[in-house]
Amino acid sequence: MRRRYPSKIHSHNSINSLLISSTMKINLKHSLRPQSSHDMELSLKFKTNVLSAIVILGMLSLRVAECGLQSKELTYQAINCRKHTAVLTDFGAVGDGKTLNTKVFNAAIRNLSRYALDGGAQLIVPPGRWLTGSFNLTSHFTLFIEKGAVILGTQDESQWPPLPVLPSYGRGRDAPGGRLSALIFGTNLTDVVITGNNGTIDGQGATWWTKYRAKEYNVTRPYLIELMYSNQIQISDLTLLDSPSWFVHPIYSSNIIVKGLTIIASIYSANTDGVDPDSCSNVRIEDCYIVSGDDCISLKSGWDQYGYKVGIPTQHLIIRRVTCISPFSALIALGSEMSGGIQDVRAEDITAIDTESAVRVKTALGRGGYVKDIYVRRMTLKNMKYAFWMAGNYNQHPDPNFDLKAIPEIKGINYRDVVATNVTFAGRLDGITGDPFTGICISNVTMTMNLEEKKLPWNCTDIAGVTSKVTPKPCASLPEKQGVNCAFPTDRLPIEDVQLKTCSSAHK
């Protein structure tokens, strides 16, 4: 734990002791000699000068001590505050961007885990460039990344341990083999906070993207942050850069807040999804800015037979005040790995710019599962290929053993209050033959089309629903029904009422 600088306090007391002792010796020396009036006058002046010097030096010593004791105050919002604090450098970390700190991160967190039942602990990452491989978090713990601090993912692949495949996927997502541990990883945890005052986590993913495209991996690339089988998670107020693959991947977890993230990867990067809740419940994603080579937010719940066998849905999510730039993917994707089910998703006040599609459903025969009770309102779209896109033919499967009789159920998809400009296609809505997507509702939507395109604005097959006040006019399978205002729930999800606490901590 942090020392309280006793040596500096001791130095302050020593200076005062020395000054007092010197004064006593001077006074004693002058009191032992015979005193003439001239001597007494000189002695008085001498003592006055000495006392002035004592006062000045005493003030200086106080200021020196105060400077030595001066600490940096950190104030931040979190689901829980911590009783104990340590700084990464206490454990010997070197922030030069070259020294590997994997062992230091793991040792520091192991050391702090002993405080889990004593008010919890936080590890402060100070300004510097902290090169590291994968490290594991602990419960009742905060990782705080200060402004000017950068956690750098090493390109030494030996520093990313292998993990078993996820049970709801049956294989690695990139390749048939296993997968590599995320840069920041944890499993079976409770009460975990990853936050900062806009500190940075940089996955240095470009090399990983290149090797992946060259098919050099037989395992799945690491994610930037992954928490499994965990509860009470907060990831907030950070900048995340260039993940090797997905950025934020909570899986089989609940009660999650993702807030105030800036997530940036090249629009040409490989599979750099921003935030991917996977078989998770009670999730709040808000106030994020995401630039990605893939979906900005993707909701998942397992892949084909592995997903519906595990059967853990993603449900009860609120997504709000998110801005996305993704020219080749979606603002929010529902699937395609949705075999455990996706239900009760609420998205509002969201913006997509220069993005392929807004809120997109992706599924296929063999997926099973469901996507239902989806509610979207107050969406602003600029420079889009598709405003509305649903695909029932997203035919990526983990292996040939999927069951074509596992038919997904897609129903109750609601959009309202949408303004879109410079749109190429208003909607491409493709259900599954014999398994139409039903209960689609679109209301109060104004789209300005790209006049250079001479194609039909809507293309619809195997769907059913209604529209109201939508321009341009939708396809025949979405007839106009006057007075319809598509649903958006009036109740609040429990995760919306979780109030963050104001936490503070001082360190040198």
Side-chain angles (χ1 to χ4, degrees):
M1 304 309 295
R2 294 297 294 160
R3 296 177 60 188
R4 298 304 177 194
Y5 318 117
S7 60
K8 295 187 183 297
I9 295 172
H10 174 72
S11 298
H12 165 64
N13 292 334
S14 298
I15 291 171
N16 282 344
S17 298
L18 179 61
L19 290 169
I20 292 167
S21 174
S22 299
T23 306
M24 291 175 65
K25 289 178 181 177
I26 292 168
N27 287 339
L28 179 62
K29 178 179 178 181
H30 281 268
S31 66
L32 292 175
R33 58 182 290 185
Q35 303 278 308
S36 67
S37 60
H38 180 65
D39 288 338
M40 291 176 67
E41 183 179 352
L42 288 174
S43 177
L44 180 61
K45 289 181 179 179
F46 183 83
K47 289 177 181 178
T48 301
N49 291 338
V50 169
L51 288 172
S52 297
I54 290 171
V55 171
I56 292 169
L57 289 170
M59 291 173 66
L60 286 172
S61 69
L62 284 171
R63 288 176 183 174
V64 168
E66 287 171 359
C67 289
L69 286 168
Q70 193 172 36
S71 60
K72 185 182 296 184
E73 187 76 19
L74 300 176
T75 302
Y76 61 95
Q77 301 287 308
I79 52 176
N80 284 304
C81 304
R82 309 302 180 198
K83 181 178 176 182
H84 303 274
T85 299
V87 180
L88 187 63
T89 49
D90 293 344
F91 300 89
V94 179
D96 59 5
K98 300 177 182 178
T99 303
L100 193 61
N101 293 288
T102 312
K103 291 181 179 179
V104 177
F105 271 103
N106 279 306
I109 295 167
R110 278 197 305 271
N111 180 281
L112 295 175
S113 67
R114 60 191 165 131
Y115 298 105
L117 301 180
D118 182 28
Q122 58 188 354
L123 179 64
I124 309 297
V125 181
R129 294 174 64 80
W130 310 94
L131 185 68
T132 182
S134 175
F135 59 89
N136 295 341
L137 302 183
T138 189
S139 291
H140 306 293
F141 175 79
T142 296
L143 179 68
F144 188 95
I145 306 169
E146 288 195 73
K147 184 177 182 179
V150 182
I151 295 179
L152 286 170
T154 180
Q155 294 178 336
D156 178 355
E157 295 177 18
S158 69
Q159 297 294 307
W160 306 77
L163 294 175
V165 299
L166 294 166
S168 56
Y169 282 74
R171 52 160 273 174
R173 189 60 185 85
D174 288 348
R179 60 200 195 96
L180 300 180
S181 178
L183 182 63
I184 300 176
F185 180 74
T187 185
N188 294 293
L189 303 181
T190 300
D191 180 18
V192 178
V193 177
I194 305 170
T195 190
N197 48 6
N198 202 31
T200 299
I201 306 172
D202 184 348
Q204 300 197 103
T207 300
W208 297 90
W209 310 333
T210 299
K211 289 185 175 181
Y212 166 72
R213 285 178 168 140
K215 302 186 183 302
E216 294 183 24
Y217 292 125
N218 61 2
V219 295
T220 292
R221 291 163 291 155
Y223 306 138
L224 203 67
I225 300 171
E226 183 178 61
L227 297 172
M228 301 175 57
Y229 303 109
S230 296
N231 182 38
Q232 292 183 273
I233 297 167
Q234 175 188 334
I235 305 169
S236 64
D237 302 313
L238 296 168
T239 296
L240 310 182
L241 303 176
D242 292 345
S243 176
S245 185
W246 303 345
F247 275 89
V248 178
H249 185 227
I251 182 167
Y252 317 134
S253 296
S254 59
N255 300 308
I256 301 162
I257 296 174
V258 176
K259 175 181 173 64
L261 297 183
T262 298
I263 299 177
I264 298 177
S266 166
I267 59 171
Y268 303 107
S269 57
N271 311 113
T272 51
D273 294 13
V275 183
D276 287 10
D278 198 338
S279 295
C280 289
S281 296
N282 299 314
V283 180
R284 182 168 115 203
I285 303 171
E286 59 190 9
D287 303 312
C288 294
Y289 176 83
I290 304 172
V291 180
S292 174
D294 211 314
D295 301 317
C296 289
I297 297 172
S298 184
L299 311 184
K300 303 176 183 293
S301 63
W303 204 6
D304 286 7
Q305 68 271 27
Y306 305 103
Y308 55 75
K309 181 179 179 180
V310 171
I312 303 176
T314 284
Q315 59 186 352
H316 312 315
L317 287 85
I318 178 72
I319 302 168
R320 57 196 178 195
R321 299 185 301 277
V322 170
T323 297
C324 167
I325 298 175
S326 182
F328 307 109
S329 285
L331 164 58
I332 300 173
L334 305 168
S336 75
E337 306 92 329
M338 39 63 66
S339 301
I342 297 172
Q343 185 173 16
D344 188 13
V345 178
R346 310 167 186 199
E348 60 184 354
D349 303 311
I350 56 178
T351 301
I353 304 168
D354 297 327
T355 295
E356 186 175 44
S357 63
V359 179
R360 181 184 180 191
V361 176
K362 299 191 288 187
T363 189
L365 288 175
R367 284 288 191 272
Y370 52 84
V371 176
K372 58 186 179 182
D373 304 332
I374 310 299
Y375 309 97
V376 181
R377 68 178 177 182
R378 298 197 297 268
M379 190 162 55
T380 301
L381 311 175
K382 300 178 182 179
N383 308 330
M384 307 290 292
K385 183 174 182 181
Y386 301 101
F388 302 98
W389 193 5
M390 301 182 187
N393 57 351
Y394 206 86
N395 291 309
Q396 293 182 0
H397 300 281
D399 56 47
N401 299 320
F402 64 93
D403 182 2
L404 284 173
K405 296 179 181 178
I407 300 173
E409 179 185 25
I410 313 298
K411 70 176 185 179
I413 315 295
N414 299 271
Y415 306 93
R416 81 182 200 203
D417 307 330
V418 179
V419 176
T421 56
N422 195 26
V423 175
T424 302
F425 299 99
R428 179 178 175 182
L429 309 179
D430 298 318
I432 297 173
T433 302
D435 179 37
F437 299 173
T438 62
I440 298 169
C441 183
I442 306 174
S443 68
N444 192 27
V445 175
T446 301
M447 290 176 277
T448 302
M449 307 304 294
N450 182 337
L451 297 179
E452 294 181 3
E453 294 290 340
K454 303 299 182 182
K455 299 178 181 179
L456 290 173
W458 291 85
N459 190 331
C460 307
T461 58
D462 299 302
I463 64 160
V466 297
T467 58
S468 179
K469 297 181 180 178
V470 175
T471 57
K473 184 179 178 179
C475 47
S477 52
L478 293 173
E480 171 81 12
K481 187 174 182 179
Q482 292 185 356
V484 168
N485 194 24
C486 299
F488 196 96
T490 57
D491 66 321
R492 290 173 62 85
L493 296 174
I495 194 67
E496 295 184 76
D497 293 325
V498 173
Q499 299 295 315
L500 300 183
K501 303 171 184 177
T502 299
C503 304
S504 61
S505 173
H507 75 93
K508 185 181 175 185

